[in-house]
Amino acid sequence: MTKTKKMAAQKSATPPQGAQEVAAGEWVGKSQAMFERMLQEVPDAMRGIFREKLMQVLKQKAKGGPAAESHVLEIVQEIVPEPFKSNILKAFSTMGDIDMSVVEEIINNNPGGQETVISILHAIQAKCGYLPQEALILVSQKKGVFLSALYRLATSYKAFRVKPPKKYAVTMCNGTGCHVTEGGQILRELEKKVSENGSQITLEKVRCLGCCDMSPAVMINGELYGGAQAQARIAEILHE
Ligand code: FES
């Protein structure tokens, strides 16, 4: 091989600047959720092809390092046409401050297929307090479940919330045992408070909290209160 040919061969073996891969598993902040949100604008049938192409662009922008939110933002601003661009940017602006690495860890801790989705959603809600849209998008992508199916699941099961809870997530028992021991009165007062403007209470009624011996029973932000303790805590919230 001549010296010139050898140099040309060496040059072609060197990856072009910026073509190195995004470091495995490294997504900074909400970058992965943003990337997946961007792909939601692409019709299902085309999404696979677009994912591949846009991932290549992302890798070039990341230059072998982790994918940052700014890289995804640049792709949207430089490549995506209107009206999809505006839709995506609007969706980005309303993304909550969710630590997506937590969501990813939950997904990784639940290996398997679609049968793992319910446990994953429960775990996400336990961590985040609700099911953020970006988390659902990630679950949809990782588990191969349509986002629409996840939304249906999240909105038809009472156990799930798709909106962040207010300051106080109150689950009040409306079972007979609690109802007759001041529970009914407490519930009416809570409902009145909830109907007021700017109320900081999210109220849910259940038929039994499984602790009838300590009626009236109520759960406030995951903590169980019963009897006089429940009445005192509810009174504090009502007068706040
Ligand atoms: S009836 Fe209220 S906890 Fe069972």
Side-chain angles (χ1 to χ4, degrees):
M1 194 186 284
T2 64
K3 196 177 172 191
T4 317
K5 277 186 179 166
K6 204 171 175 180
M7 280 174 67
Q10 278 173 348
K11 200 173 173 192
S12 68
T14 309
Q17 196 191 4
Q20 298 94 333
E21 299 216 331
V22 169
E26 284 193 40
W27 295 83
V28 178
K30 292 178 280 186
S31 56
Q32 189 173 12
M34 289 165 69
F35 186 79
E36 294 301 331
R37 177 59 188 83
M38 172 174 65
L39 284 169
Q40 288 303 311
E41 293 296 315
V42 180
D44 290 347
M46 307 283 291
R47 200 168 295 144
I49 298 166
F50 272 78
R51 177 186 299 283
E52 219 171 282
K53 300 260 182 240
L54 292 173
M55 186 57 84
Q56 285 305 319
V57 180
L58 184 64
K59 285 170 182 174
Q60 286 171 7
K61 288 192 176 292
K63 297 186 169 75
E69 293 175 13
S70 59
H71 297 141
V72 184
L73 203 53
E74 280 173 29
I75 293 175
V76 175
Q77 278 163 340
E78 291 167 12
I79 298 176
V80 180
E82 290 291 1
F84 310 108
K85 184 195 287 190
S86 296
N87 292 345
I88 296 168
L89 292 176
K90 192 170 164 206
F92 285 177
S93 71
T94 56
M95 276 183 165
D97 286 327
I98 300 299
D99 182 352
M100 290 304 289
S101 64
V102 169
V103 176
E104 189 148 19
E105 194 182 326
I106 291 171
I107 296 172
N108 292 340
N109 287 342
N110 286 272
Q114 301 183 355
E115 73 284 356
T116 61
V117 161
I118 298 257
S119 332
I120 289 173
L121 296 188
H122 276 297
I124 292 172
Q125 182 159 291
K127 277 277 180 196
C128 306
Y130 73 112
L131 298 173
Q133 187 193 42
E134 51 267 46
L136 291 177
I137 289 173
L138 196 58
V139 174
S140 157
Q141 187 256 315
K142 296 270 186 190
K143 294 293 178 183
V145 181
F146 282 120
L147 187 58
S148 55
L150 286 183
Y151 266 113
R152 231 182 354 263
L153 193 64
T155 50
S156 53
Y157 277 83
K158 273 191 91 179
F160 294 132
R161 271 189 299 271
V162 290
K163 285 192 181 151
K166 294 183 179 169
K167 185 175 177 187
Y168 299 111
V170 178
T171 307
M172 182 75 214
C173 175
N174 196 28
T176 313
C178 289
H179 196 83
V180 296
T181 50
E182 296 296 318
Q185 177 60 26
I186 292 175
L187 190 55
R188 280 191 291 280
E189 287 174 20
L190 279 168
E191 284 172 335
K192 184 165 175 276
K193 185 78 177 178
V194 166
S195 68
E196 288 172 8
N197 261 349
S199 162
Q200 284 301 302
I201 300 174
T202 303
L203 179 62
E204 187 190 4
K205 290 182 267 185
V206 293
R207 295 199 65 78
C208 184
L209 279 170
C211 47
C212 315
D213 56 328
M214 54 192 281
S215 60
V218 63
M219 184 104 78
I220 302 170
N221 294 342
E223 290 241 3
L224 188 62
Y225 299 86
Q229 206 191 15
Q231 288 169 304
R233 188 71 188 105
I234 291 290
E236 277 174 22
I237 292 175
L238 289 174
H239 293 108
E240 210 176 74

